[in-house]
Amino acid sequence: MGFFDRLKSGLTKTRDNFVSGLDSLFSGFSEIDEDFYEELEEILIMADIGVATTDRIIEDLKEKVKEQKIKEVSVCRELLMDTIKQQMKVDETAYEFEHKTSVVLMIGVNGVGKTTSVGKLAGQLKAQGKKVILAAADTFRAAAIEQLTEWSNRAGVEIIAGQEGGDPAAVVFDAVNAAKARKADVLICDTAGRLHNKKNLMEELRKINRIIEREFPEAYRETLIVLDGTTGQNALVQAKQFAEVADISGIVLTKLDGTARGGIAIAIQSEMNIPVKYIGIGEQIDDLQKFDADSFVDALFEKREEEQ
């Protein structure tokens, strides 16, 4: 199965409820009235798209229907897809860090696939001919350093690590200096994600940021938050908490290969105005791909019979 087919199957759970709801909506209404919009609102909220984002989508849809003097309910489906695609478009400049000497900070709670995403991204950049160094700054989670070391071997990139339980900021300091000395193109830092111990975690992230700013001010900065696509609205809550202390520039949405609640991608991008830059759908090194709004929305809206 290709990436798009696996994405489609990963979004099955969201799509089955979503599409069947849309199908009955579009076949059950003969005119576009307030009842139609109310029912559509309910379907979008149930798909984890969230209240604020749903309001925005419906307002946009109403405007287009009025402007284009649309009377047929069926035309609304295409308009709805276009509206969501427009909201989720990722600008070409979103991947600027790939073309500059940069430091990428990977943040997010434990268990979301952060270390795996670091490894996959390193593998992709190495395949582009970049010199990549990894910093194992998640020193608190047992086996995080071993896991990242394994990924560094798989990707064929260097890793800078300290001791388990050591100071993460010290690891980042060493890694920044190694990156400068070895003229690395990209330094990717894995960080700890203990959100239950929020105060310490956030202080740690601030300290890491200060070190990068002081030691490597000329480096382009990219901060990616890794979120688990199966957790729905909880992922949005996490993103908001991390945004309090980190200047998040992009989202990596993982685990879209199982019971993913795909609507959350739309909600996060819309509510936080932070683009989803990568999506992950498996364990292989090439199972992390740049986000494509058209493919994602098509996979979300596709009818079951078209998949046969």
Side-chain angles (χ1 to χ4, degrees):
M1 274 172 99
F3 188 84
F4 180 69
D5 289 325
R6 297 208 323 278
L7 171 63
K8 244 171 21 184
S9 83
L11 292 173
T12 299
K13 186 184 170 196
T14 304
R15 186 177 53 248
D16 282 356
N17 300 329
F18 187 49
V19 172
S20 62
L22 286 177
D23 285 349
S24 61
L25 172 73
F26 290 118
S27 61
F29 278 85
S30 54
E31 59 176 349
I32 304 164
D33 56 14
E34 272 312 308
D35 289 344
F36 170 81
Y37 286 123
E38 257 175 51
E39 201 159 314
L40 176 58
E41 183 178 18
E42 199 173 304
I43 292 164
L44 294 174
I45 291 170
M46 293 297 284
D48 263 311
I49 290 170
V51 178
T53 309
T54 295
D55 285 349
R56 205 166 298 152
I57 289 169
I58 299 233
E59 281 314 305
D60 194 55
L61 190 62
K62 282 180 176 175
E63 221 167 273
K64 284 176 179 166
V65 165
K66 200 173 166 186
E67 270 171 23
Q68 298 173 34
K69 299 184 171 55
I70 288 160
K71 297 279 183 277
E72 301 79 40
V73 171
S74 58
V75 180
C76 270
R77 191 188 191 106
E78 283 304 315
L79 274 184
L80 180 63
M81 287 176 75
D82 289 343
T83 295
I84 295 174
K85 282 176 182 177
Q86 278 167 10
Q87 289 210 1
M88 299 201 76
K89 276 276 183 275
V90 181
D91 195 33
E92 262 311 295
T93 57
Y95 304 98
E96 199 118 319
F97 75 93
E98 289 185 353
H99 312 293
K100 298 184 172 177
T101 301
S102 56
V103 178
V104 179
L105 208 57
M106 286 284 212
I107 61 175
V109 300
N110 288 339
V112 293
K114 183 160 35 71
T115 303
T116 307
S117 297
V118 171
K120 290 176 187 173
L121 184 59
Q124 290 188 13
L125 292 169
K126 172 79 190 295
Q128 290 173 25
K130 310 279 182 208
K131 185 176 174 62
V132 182
I133 293 179
L134 301 183
D138 182 356
T139 58
F140 291 95
R141 185 169 64 84
I145 298 169
E146 289 90 328
Q147 192 188 355
L148 195 63
T149 303
E150 197 180 303
W151 272 107
S152 76
N153 293 334
R154 209 186 296 187
V157 301
E158 191 181 344
I159 183 169
I160 305 293
Q163 298 300 308
E164 197 173 298
D167 180 4
V171 175
V172 171
F173 178 85
D174 290 344
V176 162
N177 284 298
K180 288 197 295 186
R182 285 157 218 175
K183 296 190 166 39
D185 297 303
V186 185
L187 167 66
I188 310 177
C189 307
D190 188 18
T191 64
R194 308 168 324 284
L195 203 54
H196 61 275
N197 196 353
K198 191 177 154 195
K199 195 168 174 291
N200 291 2
L201 170 66
M202 299 312 185
E203 198 40 63
E204 194 178 284
L205 283 176
R206 283 196 186 98
K207 194 173 166 188
I208 286 170
N209 273 312
R210 282 198 301 270
I211 283 170
I212 298 167
E213 276 155 24
R214 190 183 68 219
E215 297 296 318
F216 209 178
E218 68 274 27
Y220 185 87
R221 298 293 305 279
E222 182 78 17
T223 302
L224 298 173
I225 184 165
V226 184
L227 299 168
D228 178 341
T230 65
T231 59
Q233 290 294 315
N234 199 25
L236 182 59
V237 172
Q238 288 168 18
K240 285 179 174 171
Q241 289 181 312
F242 274 97
E244 289 170 21
V245 287
D247 190 9
I248 301 169
S249 52
I251 293 156
V252 180
L253 199 60
T254 62
K255 307 190 186 180
L256 290 182
D257 51 343
T259 53
R261 295 158 80 171
I264 196 61
I266 302 164
I268 294 168
Q269 179 131 344
S270 174
E271 283 198 35
M272 299 195 66
N273 205 20
I274 298 169
V276 175
K277 292 191 181 182
Y278 294 92
I279 52 175
I281 53 166
E283 287 305 308
Q284 299 310 306
I285 208 153
D286 58 352
D287 285 341
L288 184 77
Q289 299 260 341
K290 286 180 179 171
F291 181 76
D292 179 324
D294 289 351
S295 296
F296 185 85
V297 176
D298 287 346
L300 199 57
F301 275 76
E302 193 155 302
K303 293 182 182 180
R304 295 302 292 166
E305 60 265 29
E306 290 168 4
E307 290 175 38
Q308 304 297 303

